[in-house]
Amino acid sequence: MSKSFDLSLEQQFNIRSFEHQVKDMSREQAQEFLVNLYRQMVLQENSYKTLLKQQWGLDAPEQQAA
């Protein structure tokens, strides 16, 4: 794996901590958690897309030829 995609020690620790937190969840809790996590991922993706469009000037209204 590329070095830029490796996890930092802190990220590895956070993942391990997360594993312990979700280990004892009920099925219902886990399902609710996953739906909320997916919602956050979609919102994050939308934010990235919006920021990239703004940065690249793709969100400007199209100029109509006269």
Side-chain angles (χ1 to χ4, degrees):
M1 184 180 271
S2 170
K3 202 63 163 158
S4 63
F5 292 114
D6 289 345
L7 298 175
S8 70
L9 192 57
E10 180 181 8
Q11 289 169 324
Q12 292 175 36
F13 174 80
N14 288 336
I15 290 171
R16 194 73 156 157
S17 175
F18 180 77
E19 286 176 4
H20 289 292
Q21 291 174 15
V22 299
K23 182 176 66 171
D24 297 324
M25 282 185 177
S26 70
R27 179 182 174 94
E28 184 178 298
Q29 288 172 319
Q31 288 175 335
E32 183 179 340
F33 179 82
L34 285 171
V35 170
N36 286 329
L37 181 61
Y38 186 74
R39 181 179 292 113
Q40 290 177 7
M41 289 170 51
V42 171
L43 289 170
Q44 183 179 41
E45 181 181 4
N46 288 346
S47 295
Y48 288 153
K49 286 179 181 179
T50 300
L51 289 171
L52 286 173
K53 284 180 183 180
Q54 289 173 354
Q55 185 67 30
W56 294 342
L58 300 175
D59 63 342
E62 294 184 29
Q63 296 180 6
Q64 296 177 348

